[in-house]
């Protein structure tokens, strides 16, 4: 199942259309309603059975709220003055996180405002703020799981410092394009650099090859998110506007690294406050394997975060791991020899590979998975 073909529990309601559909069938009993504005559905709430229902962040009129509470429903009211919705039922879109970019620059966007809130509340140690972050991240995980039901997900890991306009960036984009065309759902850490390049490649997959080449040229005019996130993001939206209807992929970024804005090429963005939840979730959901492009400390951490469950088979059969750039992973950061030593004599030994170039990675992945 590709991203966008959502699967959810029959009891979860995440849009007004879903709410209306359930009400026409007569009962809201036992349902969970997430972030749906019910201000204009008072008659429905007064009429329907809401026994055991849970309303998470759903605005409603006072008489409706009183009635559903009397039915035994739980009502978690919206939290005022937050730059994010802790109860959200769906993942973010690039347009949502970058709303207001053109008018006010990046600092005025919901993404930047959520990061500023995180920095402020993290410093004062408020238990209420901590609870809100946890609720938000759990809601994001729930939405991500619903999105990816049935999908063959390949994670692409790599550093944020990879600049647009470089051969490495173009190679990562070709990788994302190839994986998407092979029917995989591309998932990345959702940030700049190698992550953006892989999401860009997946976005370009439905278009002719010339589109990717032209897009790479346009993006090279704003090579990095420093010094201006606004210019960097605007260049990505220019590409999206010029070539609408791109392919879907997933970005899983975090507000923990405030210097890393999300990229605009992932159609679905699962952004977390807790980086540990984000890291583990990204790797755990990469059920068809992970490709590791050259990176620094963060990518090394991801390699061994992925190697550990493969070593112990705590998530079942080991998933493929492909490391790209022999010199990088054997000399500069000699991760490969240690990975080989860990894998020796275990099931994961036949699920790891080292290749010289990014263009070899899709074939290596197919070999490890037994695909032809």
């Amino acid at each position: 199942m590709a991203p966008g073909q959502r699967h959810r529990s029959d009891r979860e309601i995440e849009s007004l259309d879903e709410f209306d559909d359930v009400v026409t069938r007569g009962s809201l009993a036992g349902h969970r309603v997430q972030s749906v504005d019910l201000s204009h559905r008072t008659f429905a709430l007064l009429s329907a059975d809401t026994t055991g229902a849970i309303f998470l962040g759903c605005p409603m009129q006072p008489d409706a709220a009183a009635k559903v509470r009397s039915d035994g429903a739980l009502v978690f009211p919206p939290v005022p003055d937050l730059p994010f919705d802790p109860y959200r039922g769906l993942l973010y879109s690039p347009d949502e996180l970058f709303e207001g970019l053109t008018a006010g620059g990046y600092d005025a966007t919901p993404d930047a405002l959520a990061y500023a809130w995180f920095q402020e509340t993290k410093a004062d140690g408020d238990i209420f703020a901590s609870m809100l972050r946890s609720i938000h991240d759990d809601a994001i995980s729930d939405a991500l799981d619903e999105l990816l039901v049935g999908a063959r997900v390949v994670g692409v890991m790599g550093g944020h410092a990879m600049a647009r306009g470089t051969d490495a960036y173009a190679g990562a984009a070709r990788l994302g394009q190839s994986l998407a065309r092979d029917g995989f759902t591309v998932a990345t850490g959702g940030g700049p650099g190698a992550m953006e390049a892989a999401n860009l490649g997946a976005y370009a997959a439905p278009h002719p090859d010339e589109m990717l080449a032209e897009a790479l040229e346009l993006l090279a005019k704003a090579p990095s998110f420093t010094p201006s996130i606004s210019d960097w993001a605007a260049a990505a939206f220019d590409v999206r506007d010029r070539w609408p209807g791109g392919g879907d992929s997933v970005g899983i970024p975090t507000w923990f690294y405030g210097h890393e804005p999300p990229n605009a090429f992932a159609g679905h963005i699962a952004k977390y406050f807790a980086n540990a939840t984000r890291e583990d979730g990204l790797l755990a959901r990469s059920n068809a394997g992970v490709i590791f492009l050259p990176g620094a400390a963060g990518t090394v951490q991801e390699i061994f975060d992925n190697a550990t469950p493969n070593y112990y088979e705590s998530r079942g059969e080991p998933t493929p791991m492909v490391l790209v750039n022999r010199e990088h992973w054997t000399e500069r950061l000699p991760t490969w020899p240690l990975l080989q030593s860990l894998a020796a004599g275990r099931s994961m030994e036949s699920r790891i590979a080292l290749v010289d170039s990014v263009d070899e990675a899709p074939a290596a992945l197919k070999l490890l998975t037994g695909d032809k």
Side-chain angles (χ1 to χ4, degrees), residues 42 45-46 50 60-73 75:
T42 299
L45 291 169
L46 293 176
T50 58
M60 61 181 74
Q61 298 300 327
D63 52 342
K67 184 268 180 184
V68 301
R69 285 192 176 100
S70 70
D71 281 350
V75 179

Side-chain angles (χ1 to χ4, degrees), residues 1-3 152-156 171-188 197-207 209 212 245-250 265 288 291 361-362 365-366:
M1 182 180 295
R152 299 178 69 204
V153 182
V154 174
V156 178
R174 291 194 304 272
L175 172 63
Q177 182 186 56
S178 177
L179 292 171
R181 287 178 174 177
D182 284 341
F184 294 109
T185 295
V186 174
T188 77
N199 288 128
L200 166 64
Y203 184 88
H207 293 284
D209 290 344
L212 181 57
D248 265 335
S249 65
V250 177
F265 293 111
I291 297 173
L365 182 71
K366 287 182 180 181

Side-chain angles (χ1 to χ4, degrees), residues 13 15-16 18-20 22-24 26-34 36-75:
I13 298 174
S15 72
L16 200 55
E18 288 180 319
F19 177 86
D20 291 340
V22 171
V23 167
T24 60
S27 177
L28 290 165
H31 283 74
R32 281 81 172 100
V33 190
Q34 286 180 256
V36 180
D37 188 345
L38 302 177
S39 301
H40 300 291
R41 293 297 187 273
T42 299
F43 180 77
L45 291 169
L46 293 176
S47 304
D49 179 11
T50 58
T51 305
I54 298 176
F55 295 88
L56 299 167
C58 299
M60 61 181 74
Q61 298 300 327
D63 52 342
K67 184 268 180 184
V68 301
R69 285 192 176 100
S70 70
D71 281 350
L74 290 177
V75 179

Side-chain angles (χ1 to χ4, degrees), residues 195-366:
M195 298 171 279
E196 180 190 54
N199 288 128
L200 166 64
Y203 184 88
H207 293 284
D209 290 344
E210 293 77 13
M211 174 266 171
L212 181 57
E214 292 181 42
L216 290 169
E217 289 185 12
L218 291 174
L219 292 171
K221 297 176 183 178
S224 175
F225 62 96
T226 59
S228 173
I229 295 176
S230 298
D231 292 345
W232 172 83
F237 279 101
D238 286 345
V239 168
R240 284 166 36 111
D241 290 343
R242 182 166 177 177
W243 291 282
D248 265 335
S249 65
V250 177
I252 308 181
T254 176
W255 280 293
F256 185 81
Y257 299 120
H259 63 289
E260 285 190 14
N263 77 72
F265 293 111
H268 308 275
I269 300 176
K271 190 150 192 180
Y272 287 89
F273 288 105
N275 185 52
T277 305
R278 168 251 192 172
E279 290 272 9
D280 183 69
L282 171 55
L283 293 168
R285 290 174 177 87
S286 297
N287 55 19
V290 183
I291 297 173
F292 298 92
L293 302 177
T299 310
V300 170
Q301 177 183 339
E302 288 162 348
I303 289 173
F304 290 107
D305 281 346
N306 197 47
T308 300
N310 281 348
Y311 180 89
Y312 290 111
E313 299 188 41
S314 56
R315 294 180 184 144
E317 185 178 341
T319 53
M321 300 175 65
V322 179
L323 277 61
V324 176
N325 191 314
R326 188 176 303 273
E327 180 182 5
H328 185 85
W329 295 121
T330 62
E331 297 180 21
R332 183 180 175 200
L333 295 175
T335 303
W336 175 250
L338 179 53
L339 185 61
Q340 276 188 306
S341 297
L342 281 171
R346 306 186 75 89
S347 299
M348 67 179 287
E349 188 172 19
S350 63
R351 293 300 183 95
I352 63 172
L354 175 67
V355 297
D356 291 310
S357 73
V358 69
D359 294 320
E360 298 174 79
L365 182 71
K366 287 182 180 181

Side-chain angles (χ1 to χ4, degrees), residues 82-85 88 92-114 229-230 233-234 237 240 255 261-264 269 271:
L82 277 182
F84 64 94
D85 179 1
R88 61 180 302 116
Y92 293 100
S93 69
D95 293 304
E96 182 180 2
L97 287 177
F98 285 102
E99 184 181 1
L101 177 71
T102 302
Y106 174 72
D107 288 344
T109 65
D111 186 65
L113 294 173
I229 295 176
S230 298
F237 279 101
R240 284 166 36 111
W255 280 293
N263 77 72
I269 300 176
K271 190 150 192 180

